[in-house]
Amino acid sequence: MLRLALGPTRWLTAAAVFVTIGLAPASQAEPEERYTVETQIPEMAVASQDTFTFTVKSSGDYRIDADYDAELVFMPEVDDEVLVAAKSHHGPKDASYGDDGRSQSWSVPVTAKRRGRHPVKLSMRFRVCDGDDCHIGRYQTRFHVVVKD
């Protein structure tokens, strides 16, 4: 939601500017109504390999656009001797898609080499569409992978 701190005489001018620059009407779906993102991040043991799964699920009448150049970037914020992903950049060919067109998932194999709580940055880019109404979703987060003895 956009909020402006304007005096009472400026509302008309602000409304005219909104119309001129073409802001979307409030009736269009907000991003959180178009999709959800689910993560499966396992606890790991030293010298083990596990798979992390990141899934986008469309909501309502929206569907995942499998033709879009979607991307997932998995970047451990530690050196390669601590937490190792098979690769950091994953494209649309690395993803799996639900038969109903409503989900897109990436599985990321990770090897833990040292115990501790290790930070990871994750970013995703994808597109969901409802007919001609398409929305590019961007999801970024930072989390910690727990590695035990």
Side-chain angles (χ1 to χ4, degrees), residues 116-132:
R117 209 168 160 258
H118 309 297
V120 175
K121 284 185 181 177
L122 174 79
S123 65
M124 298 168 68
R125 187 184 72 237
F126 49 88
R127 185 163 69 181
V128 294
C129 297
D130 176 6
D132 291 335

Side-chain angles (χ1 to χ4, degrees), residues 64-71 91-93 97 104 125-128 135-138:
I64 299 294
D65 182 355
D67 295 326
Y68 180 71
D69 190 24
E71 176 184 50
K93 292 180 181 178
Y97 299 88
Q104 177 178 31
R125 187 184 72 237
F126 49 88
R127 185 163 69 181
V128 294
H135 172 76
I136 295 174
R138 297 181 194 283

Side-chain angles (χ1 to χ4, degrees), residues 75-136:
M75 296 295 294
E77 296 181 320
V78 291
D79 62 45
D80 287 344
E81 298 304 314
V82 177
L83 199 61
V84 180
K87 65 182 195 176
S88 59
H89 289 76
H90 303 265
K93 292 180 181 178
D94 300 315
S96 60
Y97 299 88
D99 291 337
D100 60 358
R102 298 182 61 86
S103 65
Q104 177 178 31
S105 295
W106 284 275
S107 295
V108 179
V110 176
T111 302
K113 295 191 172 190
R114 193 179 314 153
R115 68 183 291 296
R117 209 168 160 258
H118 309 297
V120 175
K121 284 185 181 177
L122 174 79
S123 65
M124 298 168 68
R125 187 184 72 237
F126 49 88
R127 185 163 69 181
V128 294
C129 297
D130 176 6
D132 291 335
D133 179 27
C134 289
H135 172 76
I136 295 174

